[in-house]
Amino acid sequence: MPFHSSFVTHSKIEIGPLRRGQITTVPYGGNGKPVFKLDQLAPANGFSHDNAHDALSDVEATIHMCRLVRDGAGDLWNRFLRFTQKAAAAEFLDEGEPFLLTEFYFNRPKHMLVLRIGQDSEQSNVSVCFDLAHDLDRFRNLTDAQLQSLVVSSPKPLRKIKANAAPTMTPLDDVPDQLLGDLTQVDIVARAGELHSDDALKARLLAAYEATKTVYEPNEHVEKNIYEGFAANADEHLMTQFHAMPWENRHTLASQFQNPKFGFLAKRLIFAHDPNCLPLACQQEMSAHIHSRIAAPDDSGVKWTTLTKARSECETLMASAAAEELSLLQGYHEYLTAKLAALG
């Protein structure tokens, strides 16, 4: 299970003191801010982490920290585990009760008392919640344009919660008084009830949310499109067929996918296995694609590592490399230089 810093922050700082012998120390860096890096947090709490960043040692350190939280703050631990399940998080959100949402910015928790008012029109797992710290009357008296402007201002009155992203949510009855801010539980329940019954305001807030969403242009690179919707049933059936066929016959399915990105990925997969399994035109298409990616000029703004970037990084490493590393880097540098020469 991955380590989650909210365990520590909630357990020690926000929820209350743990039992003696549990998490009692959060180290601080030179800037005076708490440090939640595993290689510093684990030793500060009794784990000898001499082999930090070794895979097995990091797993053992993570287990050590998780056990401290589980034993010292069982309710918090169980709640976190509960909301790692998408269905459980969605069910909690659907209850329509006010609750505490905790998000983290630069290792510091931000707590908001919110109420779910609806969901994103394009993502069914995204709930839209209203921050109850804001005065409802202020929003009722705004024009649509003013409302849209306020929705994107800081602090944002609307929060997005992804049910499949293990959100940190606390039922109102379990929220410590010090996290209620200037409101009492009675105030929060009253404001939540007022908003819950105001369908017109909720509709306007959701409309403002939709109108101000960031619209991303479709990315030209297929790797960036993998989250843009699920495969249709017909394409899933073709995928099953694709993996069951001999390599030399798989290219016949590439043009049959409804979504062209799957056809392109099919050809790229075949090309990586054996280019000769593709017709000549497809081989040329894949070769040109790969060439355009790895030979992109440095001023093109691409984010991946090109051959010239790799050689430049290699030269930087060679400048300070120890003798035993230098020969390896020199060999790699020669390889990259040869690849660049071959590409012309």
Side-chain angles (χ1 to χ4, degrees), residues 121-195:
S121 62
E122 299 173 312
Q123 303 178 73
S124 60
N125 68 310
V126 174
S127 289
V128 182
C129 297
F130 181 81
D131 186 345
L132 294 169
H134 295 267
D135 183 6
L136 297 179
D137 287 335
R138 180 187 180 195
F139 291 81
R140 291 191 180 101
N141 298 324
L142 297 176
T143 65
D144 289 345
Q146 291 172 329
L147 189 58
Q148 291 175 20
S149 178
L150 187 57
V151 160
V152 297
S153 65
S154 182
K156 293 183 177 179
L158 299 181
R159 314 302 301 187
K160 293 192 304 182
I161 301 180
K162 296 182 179 180
N164 61 345
T168 303
M169 303 182 293
T170 305
L172 184 59
D173 288 343
D174 296 334
V175 178
D177 290 342
Q178 66 267 27
L179 298 186
L180 297 179
D182 297 330
L183 302 174
T184 66
Q185 283 207 11
V186 174
D187 296 331
I188 295 163
V189 171
R191 189 169 292 185
E194 183 181 352
L195 177 58

Side-chain angles (χ1 to χ4, degrees), residues 48-326:
S48 179
H49 203 13
D50 296 333
N51 296 320
H53 307 303
D54 171 78
L56 180 58
S57 181
D58 285 351
V59 168
E60 292 173 339
T62 300
I63 292 173
H64 172 82
M65 298 304 302
C66 288
R67 283 175 174 164
L68 290 180
V69 179
R70 180 199 64 187
D71 296 342
D75 291 343
L76 176 67
W77 175 264
N78 291 333
R79 189 186 311 132
F80 182 84
L81 287 185
R82 173 189 174 191
F83 293 139
T84 60
Q85 303 298 316
K86 175 182 176 180
E91 182 181 8
F92 177 81
L93 287 162
D94 286 342
E95 290 175 358
E97 298 291 337
F99 63 92
L100 184 75
L101 170 67
T102 301
E103 297 177 343
F104 288 83
Y105 301 92
F106 304 103
N107 276 342
R108 292 187 178 277
K110 179 178 176 58
H111 304 289
M112 294 153 283
L113 291 153
V114 301
L115 179 74
R116 182 183 185 274
I117 61 172
Q119 71 180 41
D120 187 286
S121 62
E122 299 173 312
Q123 303 178 73
S124 60
N125 68 310
V126 174
S127 289
V128 182
C129 297
F130 181 81
D131 186 345
L132 294 169
H134 295 267
D135 183 6
L136 297 179
D137 287 335
R138 180 187 180 195
F139 291 81
R140 291 191 180 101
N141 298 324
L142 297 176
T143 65
D144 289 345
Q146 291 172 329
L147 189 58
Q148 291 175 20
S149 178
L150 187 57
V151 160
V152 297
S153 65
S154 182
K156 293 183 177 179
L158 299 181
R159 314 302 301 187
K160 293 192 304 182
I161 301 180
K162 296 182 179 180
N164 61 345
T168 303
M169 303 182 293
T170 305
L172 184 59
D173 288 343
D174 296 334
V175 178
D177 290 342
Q178 66 267 27
L179 298 186
L180 297 179
D182 297 330
L183 302 174
T184 66
Q185 283 207 11
V186 174
D187 296 331
I188 295 163
V189 171
R191 189 169 292 185
E194 183 181 352
L195 177 58
H196 182 73
S197 61
D198 194 337
D199 293 335
L201 179 57
K202 287 189 293 185
R204 293 189 66 214
L205 287 169
L206 288 171
Y209 162 80
E210 294 291 342
T212 56
K213 283 196 308 185
T214 302
V215 178
Y216 297 96
E217 294 294 329
N219 199 288
E220 62 178 308
H221 304 299
V222 68
E223 300 90 346
K224 295 288 188 177
N225 296 329
I226 59 175
Y227 297 113
E228 294 181 1
F230 294 100
N233 290 336
D235 280 352
E236 288 190 353
H237 179 66
L238 282 175
M239 292 176 192
T240 301
Q241 287 184 278
F242 177 87
H243 290 290
M245 294 176 70
W247 281 101
E248 59 270 19
N249 297 333
R250 295 187 186 190
H251 70 88
T252 60
L253 296 182
S255 62
Q256 298 181 36
F257 285 97
Q258 293 180 9
N259 191 323
K261 72 179 178 184
F262 297 131
F264 182 81
L265 287 171
K267 289 185 288 186
R268 207 164 78 173
L269 184 60
I270 299 168
F271 187 84
H273 172 76
D274 184 353
N276 293 321
C277 290
L278 286 171
L280 180 59
C282 289
Q283 293 182 40
Q284 294 172 339
E285 177 191 2
M286 292 297 103
S287 294
H289 168 72
I290 293 172
H291 179 278
S292 69
R293 299 294 295 273
I294 64 175
D298 290 343
D299 60 359
S300 61
V302 298
K303 296 182 179 180
W304 57 84
T305 301
T306 61
L307 285 174
T308 54
K309 285 183 181 179
R311 187 170 66 174
S312 177
E313 291 176 14
C314 184
E315 291 169 351
T316 300
L317 292 172
M318 289 169 64
S320 59
E324 61 271 17
E325 298 172 339
L326 187 58

